[in-house]
């Protein structure tokens, strides 16, 4: 059984650019959640997708958006990057929105 | 609103010592889950244990044990006979249980406790 995978592993962008991060959920999982983890902090919930629909959102501005595809993989898009967007972005998948979340290795985003 | 507080920022122990990581939480929900995750330097969050709010029975699983006390809103985690491989950042997390499909069950994390186990 394949676990949660994320790409790319590392990414460097400049302020004002746009970025797309990708997540492949574990086989059979229909729910994907995204978290932002700043250095030295705990992960913060960005949003969750359940069967291709957004199913809850944390305290993040609209320039953070997402998609979930029919195969339940997901994308996180961030527009107009700011320096404070530098963080580890974690994706987690689960069998449903109510089940245990399995995390991927994360994408380390650096905004210069 | 939910909140998780891990007062210990960093802990350093010598191998084979027992170590307890503290966690205090705040929630108005009557039904919720509590978790401990481990984050090694590679970055991936590794699930360790989960407890629901209706079950205050404390258990031991191998070298791990936990002490859930609803009266004090605490969910402490103990590693017995620590090993160098236990060195990591440990996160306590809270997740409310929603009764409707429309509610996401997000994890609310504490800031983490960095554990260093020295040989």
């Amino acid at each position: 059984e394949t676990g949660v995978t994320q790409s790319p592993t590392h990414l460097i962008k400049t302020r004002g650019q746009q970025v797309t991060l990708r997540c492949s959920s574990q086989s059979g999982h229909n729910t994907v959640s995204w978290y932002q983890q700043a250095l030295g902090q705990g992960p913060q919930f960005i949003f969750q997708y359940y069967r291709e629909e957004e199913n809850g959102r944390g305290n993040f501005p609209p320039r953070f958006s997402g998609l979930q595809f029919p195969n339940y993989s997901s994308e996180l898009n961030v527009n107009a990057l700011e320096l404070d967007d530098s963080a580890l972005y974690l994706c987690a998948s689960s069998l449903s929105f109510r089940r245990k979340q399995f995390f991927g290795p994360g994408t380390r985003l650096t905004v210069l | 609103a939910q909140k998780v507080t891990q007062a210990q920022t960093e802990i350093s122990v010598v191998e084979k010592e027992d170590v307890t990581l503290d966690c205090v939480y705040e929630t108005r929900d009557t039904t919720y889950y509590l978790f401990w995750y481990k984050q090694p330097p590679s970055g991936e969050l590794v699930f360790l244990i989960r407890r629901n709010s209706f079950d205050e029975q404390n258990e031991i699983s191998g070298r791990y044990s936990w002490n859930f006390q609803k009266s004090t809103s605490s969910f402490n985690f103990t590693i017995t006979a620590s090993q160098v491989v236990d060195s990591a950042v440990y996160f306590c997390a809270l997740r409310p249980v929603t009764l409707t499909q429309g509610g996401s069950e997000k994890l609310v994390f504490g800031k983490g406790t960095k554990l260093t186990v020295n040989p």
Side-chain angles (χ1 to χ4, degrees):
Chain A
E1 185 177 272
T2 306
V4 180
T5 59
Q6 293 186 242
S7 62
T9 307
H10 295 88
L11 202 52
I12 299 175
K13 291 285 189 178
T14 56
R15 199 168 44 181
Q17 285 188 311
Q18 178 266 342
V19 69
T20 298
L21 310 182
R22 295 179 175 82
C23 172
S24 291
S25 55
Q26 194 162 320
S27 178
H29 288 191
N30 60 22
T31 302
V32 173
S33 304
W34 286 92
Y35 293 82
Q36 180 196 65
Q37 186 179 12
L39 198 61
Q41 302 294 314
Q44 298 286 317
F45 176 73
I46 303 174
F47 43 57
Q48 182 182 83
Y49 278 83
Y50 171 62
R51 292 184 174 178
E52 303 178 59
E53 297 284 333
E54 187 177 289
N55 187 46
R57 188 179 182 90
N59 190 25
F60 281 81
R63 58 189 186 85
F64 285 78
S65 63
L67 280 174
Q68 188 178 30
F69 300 100
N71 66 355
Y72 299 134
S73 65
S74 177
E75 285 183 356
L76 163 65
N77 299 290
V78 186
N79 292 323
L81 283 167
E82 301 177 359
L83 297 179
D84 284 348
D85 295 334
S86 295
L88 179 68
Y89 288 84
L90 295 162
C91 161
S93 75
S94 51
L95 279 171
S96 78
F97 66 94
R98 206 172 281 164
R99 302 293 294 271
K100 186 172 71 177
Q101 296 178 18
F102 294 83
F103 283 84
T107 293
R108 174 75 62 186
L109 172 65
T110 302
V111 182
L112 302 176
Chain B
Q2 295 102 15
K3 184 179 178 182
V4 174
T5 301
Q6 295 179 252
Q8 305 151 309
T9 306
E10 291 193 42
I11 298 177
S12 182
V13 299
V14 176
E15 207 170 16
K16 298 184 183 177
E17 281 186 29
D18 297 347
V19 57
T20 295
L21 309 180
D22 297 334
C23 173
V24 173
Y25 63 93
E26 296 174 30
T27 182
R28 293 180 183 173
D29 298 292
T30 55
T31 309
Y32 49 89
Y33 284 103
L34 294 164
F35 298 79
W36 277 97
Y37 281 88
K38 173 182 178 180
Q39 188 176 45
S42 60
E44 185 171 343
L45 282 169
V46 178
F47 167 81
L48 295 176
I49 55 175
R50 177 180 72 176
R51 218 48 177 159
N52 73 54
S53 52
F54 289 107
D55 185 359
E56 289 191 67
Q57 182 178 357
N58 295 310
E59 291 185 17
I60 297 173
S61 176
R63 295 189 298 109
Y64 298 154
S65 62
W66 50 95
N67 186 347
F68 175 30
Q69 293 194 0
K70 210 168 179 178
S71 60
T72 57
S73 298
S74 65
F75 185 52
N76 298 335
F77 175 63
T78 297
I79 303 173
T80 302
S82 60
Q83 301 174 1
V84 173
V85 293
D86 295 327
S87 297
V89 180
Y90 289 81
F91 289 97
C92 179
L94 166 72
R95 195 185 86 197
V97 175
T98 58
L99 300 178
T100 59
Q101 183 170 311
S104 67
E105 295 195 353
K106 64 178 184 181
L107 285 163
V108 177
F109 287 87
K111 291 188 176 182
T113 297
K114 182 178 180 181
L115 173 64
T116 302
V117 181
N118 298 299

